Amino acid sequence: MTATNQAQPKMKLSEIFTKNLIIFMIVHFLSDCSNNMITAFINMGAKAAGISAAAIGLAASTYSIAALLMRMPAGNMTTTQKKRLLVIGVIVFRYLTSFLLGTLGMSGSTMFIIFRTINGLGWSIAGVVIPAIEATLLDKRAMGTTYAVYTALSAFAKGMVRSLGVSVYQSSGIVTATIAAGGFALAAILLVNFMNWNDEKLQRIKPRGNKKGLFSGVNKNYMGVCFLMGCAVVTWTLNQQFNNVLAQERGIDIATILAITAVISSVWGFAASALCDFIKPKYVLVFTYLVLGIGTIILGKAETYNMFLIGEILCTIGTGYSKIQTLYLYKACAPEERPSVHATSFFVTDIFSLVAGAMVGLFIEKLGYTNAYMVSSVFVLVAAVMIFIGGDKMMAKGQVESETAEA
C-alpha cells in the first residue's frame, strides 16, 4: 500500500475542486440536509405519538434490512449512462419515504415500523448512489483535503439543520417540520441540472465483469476490513436513535446542544479528514472510535445540561467516523473500485444494523438508559482495538488481491 506521506506532484486548487465536483458536493450537501433535518425529530415525534422504545428499536432494524437489500442494486445502478436522472430520482425517492414516515408513520407502532422500513430503501439508495458518483470526481492525491472541506461544511450543516428540525417540530409539529425539510431536497434537484454529465471522470463507473445478481456489487477483497469496522455500528445506532429521546426523558434542551455541537463537529470534521493526507487514516479512525465510546459512557450517566453537552460533543465527533472509514478504504483501492468498495462498506454496516436497532432498544427496555449506554459503548471500543491491531494488514491483503485479479 502506498504510504500516505509519499511525495506527490503539486496540484492547482482548480484541479482539485473542479466545477463538476463543487456542484456535486453541494448537491450531496443539500440532499443530506433534507435527510438530517427529518432524522433529528422523527423519533421524538414517535415517542410523543405513544410508540415504545422497543418499537423504535425494532423499526431501526427493519429499516436496516431494507437498506441492506437495496445496497447492491444501488451500487450497480451507478453504471447507467443516465446518471443525471438517477441522481434526481434517488433524491426524490429518499425525501418521499421520509415524508410518508413523518405523516402516515406516526399513526401507530405498526405503521411506524412499516414506513420506517420503506424509508430504509430511500436512505440506502441515496447513500450509495450519490457518494459513489462523487467518489469518481475525487483526486487521490488530495482526497483527504477534499473530504475535509466537504466534511466541515456537512458537519456544521448537519448540526444546524438538526437543531432547525427540532425547533420547527417543537413549534409547529411534525408534519410542518417534515414538509420544510423538502426545501433542501428541491434545491439539490435544481442544482443537478447545472452539471456536465459528459465529464470523462463520470464514465469510470462500469459494470464489474460479467457478474449478475443481488450481491454482484460486493467487493470481497475488502470485506474483511469492513467487518472489523462494523462493530462500531451498535454504538452509532444507539446514539442516532436515542440521544434525542434520552435528552427529552431527562428534560434537557437538546436543540441548543445540537447548535453548539454543529460548530465543533465542523472544525473537527475538517481537521480529521485533512489529517488523513498526512498520517495513516487508521490512527484517526481509532481515535474517533475511542472518543465515541467515552462520549457514550458520559451520556449514559449525564443528568445535567453541562454533562449531556460534553457527552454529545464527544459523540458528535465520534460519529463522524464514517468519513474516515471511507478515506481509509478509498486510499487503498483504485478509483474504479471505489463505488463497489463503498457499497461493500455500507453492505457490512447494514448487516450489523440488522440486529443493532432491536438490540439497543431491548437494552433500554431491560437495563434502563444508563446501563444500556454503558453496554453499547463496549462495541465501538472493541472496534478501536481490532482496527489498531489488524486493520492495515487486512487492507494491504485486499489491495494485493485486487491487483492480482486485475492482472
Side-chain angles (χ1 to χ4, degrees), residues 295-347:
T296 301
I297 292 172
I298 292 174
L299 280 181
K301 293 180 175 294
E303 296 288 346
T304 65
Y305 178 90
N306 288 336
M307 286 304 296
F308 204 95
L309 174 61
I310 292 171
E312 187 68 23
I313 288 173
L314 294 177
C315 288
T316 300
I317 292 172
T319 52
Y321 70 74
S322 61
K323 289 289 191 303
I324 311 304
Q325 284 183 348
T326 299
L327 286 169
Y328 192 27
L329 291 165
Y330 281 2
K331 280 180 173 288
C333 67
E336 61 272 14
E337 282 194 299
R338 290 173 193 164
S340 65
V341 170
H342 181 76
T344 302
S345 177
F346 270 45
F347 174 75

Side-chain angles (χ1 to χ4, degrees), residues 318-399:
T319 52
Y321 70 74
S322 61
K323 289 289 191 303
I324 311 304
Q325 284 183 348
T326 299
L327 286 169
Y328 192 27
L329 291 165
Y330 281 2
K331 280 180 173 288
C333 67
E336 61 272 14
E337 282 194 299
R338 290 173 193 164
S340 65
V341 170
H342 181 76
T344 302
S345 177
F346 270 45
F347 174 75
V348 172
T349 295
D350 291 336
I351 290 176
F352 278 91
S353 296
L354 290 179
V355 296
M359 182 187 299
V360 298
L362 186 62
F363 284 167
I364 291 172
E365 290 286 320
K366 299 296 183 180
L367 305 175
Y369 281 106
T370 298
N371 290 332
Y373 272 68
M374 299 303 104
V375 172
S376 297
S377 69
V378 173
F379 290 88
V380 74
L381 296 175
V382 168
V385 173
M386 294 172 69
I387 289 296
F388 184 79
I389 294 174
D392 282 353
K393 291 181 181 179
M394 297 190 74
M395 194 73 82
K397 181 180 178 182
Q399 185 182 39

Side-chain angles (χ1 to χ4, degrees), residues 43-72:
N43 284 347
M44 295 173 70
K47 188 73 175 179
I51 297 168
S52 68
I56 293 173
L58 177 59
S61 289
T62 59
Y63 171 99
S64 298
I65 293 172
L68 173 65
L69 295 177
M70 182 58 72
R71 290 301 186 199
M72 295 305 106

Side-chain angles (χ1 to χ4, degrees), residues 20-41:
N20 250 15
L21 176 59
I22 292 173
I23 293 175
F24 201 79
M25 287 173 72
I26 297 173
V27 169
H28 187 177
F29 168 80
L30 290 171
S31 179
D32 282 354
C33 281
S34 176
N35 186 66
N36 289 326
M37 182 173 174
I38 293 173
T39 58
F41 60 76

Side-chain angles (χ1 to χ4, degrees), residues 17 21-30 32-33 36 134 145-162 184 261-271 273 323:
F17 294 100
L21 176 59
I22 292 173
I23 293 175
F24 201 79
M25 287 173 72
I26 297 173
V27 169
H28 187 177
F29 168 80
L30 290 171
D32 282 354
C33 281
N36 289 326
E134 183 178 70
T145 304
T146 307
Y147 258 85
V149 174
Y150 176 77
T151 301
L153 290 173
S154 63
F156 176 76
K158 181 177 181 179
M160 294 305 292
V161 299
R162 285 172 67 83
F184 290 107
T261 56
V263 178
I264 297 172
S265 177
S266 177
V267 174
W268 166 249
F270 181 90
S273 295
K323 289 289 191 303

Side-chain angles (χ1 to χ4, degrees), residues 31 34-35 38 63 66-71 73-74 77 84-102 114-130 178 182 184-186 188-189:
S31 179
S34 176
N35 186 66
I38 293 173
Y63 171 99
L68 173 65
L69 295 177
M70 182 58 72
R71 290 301 186 199
M77 286 178 190
R84 182 179 69 86
L85 293 178
L86 174 64
V87 172
I88 292 174
V90 299
I91 294 173
V92 170
F93 184 57
R94 176 163 68 173
Y95 174 69
L96 180 60
T97 62
S98 296
F99 175 79
L100 292 173
L101 175 62
I114 290 173
F115 284 102
R116 185 65 165 156
T117 304
I118 295 172
N119 184 227
L121 298 175
W123 176 78
S124 178
I125 190 172
V128 171
V129 169
I130 295 177
T178 302
F184 290 107
L186 178 60
I189 292 168

